[in-house]
């Protein structure tokens, strides 16, 4: 690619996912079948789409694009795997600005969706993320799927912005990984692939670009990953051990300290305010409940998690009409944020 990494077009039946012991006899699902789908995913709220994947040439029919993983990539990815979980308290040096739905006795979640402005905060060390996730359990019983964008020179070797996923079925103790660093994710789209470099990113007070993402459970239990209504692929239900009726979903940003303790910027690197032109935004955020109905965070149904207000903030605007839906700004400059 023009960004210096290699993408191979692999026989769809010979991708790494099928090295997983639980997927030996797995039959590929070429498209999702959703039950009780009440509304179509919303389009982009007002900004231009941020492009990823093979823009000129798709892989030939019967093959899928897989970013080539080098030995150095694997070492970097493994060293970071236990730092992805901003949702747990056991990992130090993580700072959060998140909205998370509360666990309710008679409520569970079958999907999460939203649009994210894509920025390229200046990260010299550590990592900065903008994410959404579906989650059940805690610590070693944590089952979760996370997706969004990230900047991590330690993982990618550059300070550019990349599309990513992460999954685990035991709180990142032994299972799960970023992208396709381990067997699990089944790729089906011929253009968009995990670990893609963003071609165009937002500039504060300049052009704005965004992506519409969703993680949604299909009738067969598989969890589909969608970017701007493109079904990229899915995480088979069988790789999880306790992911029936997930307890919560969330959206927001988190940053991971480097060894020197100086946290990188989050989002656009600017504290959220009413200036949409320079604040990193989530819009059209919704969850899908166990009845298949899409809804957004209402009063008393969610928690706002801000653990380092000197470095990062979140400003939830609530429902802003049909174009923006449920919206919030997040981010900040980072700095000496403590542990």
């Amino acid at each position: 690619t023009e960004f210096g990494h290699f993408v191979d077009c692999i026989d769809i039946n010979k991708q790494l996912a099928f090295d997983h012991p639980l997927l030996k006899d797995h039959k590929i699902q070429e498209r999702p079948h959703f039950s009780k789908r009440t509304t179509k995913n919303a389009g982009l709220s007002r900004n231009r789409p941020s492009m990823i994947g093979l823009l000129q040439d798709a892989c030939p029919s019967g093959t899928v694009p897989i970013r080539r993983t080098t030995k150095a990539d694997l070492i970097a990815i493994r060293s970071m795997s236990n730092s992805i979980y901003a949702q747990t308290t056991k990992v130090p040096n993580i700072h959060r600005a998140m909205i998370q739905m509360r666990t309710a006795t008679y409520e569970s979640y079958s999907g999460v969706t939203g649009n994210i402005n894509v920025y390229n905060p200046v990260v010299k060390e550590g990592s900065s993320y903008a994410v959404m996730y579906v989650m059940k359990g805690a610590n070693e019983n944590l089952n979760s799927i996370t997706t969004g964008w990230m900047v991590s020179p330690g993982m990618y070797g550059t300070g550019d912005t990349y599309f990513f996923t992460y999954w685990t079925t035991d709180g990142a103790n032994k299972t799960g990984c970023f992208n396709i660093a381990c067997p699990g994710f089944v790729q089906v789209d011929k253009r968009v692939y995990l670990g893609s470099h963003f071609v165009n990113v937002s500039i504060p007070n300049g052009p704005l670009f965004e992506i519409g993402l969703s993680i949604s459970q299909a009738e067969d239990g598989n969890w589909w990953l969608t970017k701007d209504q493109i079904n990229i692929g899915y995480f088979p239900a069988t790789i999880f051990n306790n992911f029936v009726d997930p307890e919560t979903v969330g959206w927001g940003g988190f940053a991971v300290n480097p060894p020197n303790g100086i946290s990188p910027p989050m989002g656009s690197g600017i504290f959220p305010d009413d200036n949409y032109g320079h604040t990193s935004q989530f819009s059209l955020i919704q969850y899908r409940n166990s009845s298949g109905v899409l809804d957004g965070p209402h009063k008393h149904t969610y928690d706002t998690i801000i653990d380092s207000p000197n470095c990062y903030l979140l400003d939830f605007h609530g429902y802003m009409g049909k174009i923006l839906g449920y919206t919030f700004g997040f981010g900040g400059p980072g700095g000496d944020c403590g542990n």
Side-chain angles (χ1 to χ4, degrees), residues 164-242:
F164 85 98
T165 66
Y166 191 91
W167 70 276
T168 185
T169 188
D170 66 354
N173 274 336
K174 293 182 180 178
T175 68
C177 60
F178 284 94
N179 302 329
I180 54 150
C182 66
F185 184 76
V186 178
Q187 175 82 28
V188 298
D189 189 67
K190 295 190 290 185
R191 288 183 184 270
V192 180
Y193 58 91
L194 306 187
S196 294
H197 185 292
F198 281 97
V199 176
N200 40 15
V201 296
S202 303
I203 298 171
N205 302 312
L208 297 177
F209 297 93
E210 68 182 10
I211 49 172
L213 295 178
S214 70
I215 306 167
S216 303
Q217 190 172 39
E219 287 179 350
D220 54 13
N222 296 334
W223 289 91
W224 281 82
L225 178 64
T226 302
K227 187 261 181 187
D228 296 330
Q229 302 186 36
I230 297 168
N231 296 315
I232 303 169
Y234 60 92
F235 295 93
T238 50
I239 68 175
F240 298 98
N241 64 29
N242 184 26

Side-chain angles (χ1 to χ4, degrees), residues 15 26 37 67 70 163 207 211 219 226 291 297 309 312 323:
Q15 56 183 299
H26 181 78
R37 182 175 284 280
R67 178 174 169 143
T70 67
F163 172 62
I211 49 172
E219 287 179 350
T226 302
S291 301
Y312 314 107
I323 294 177

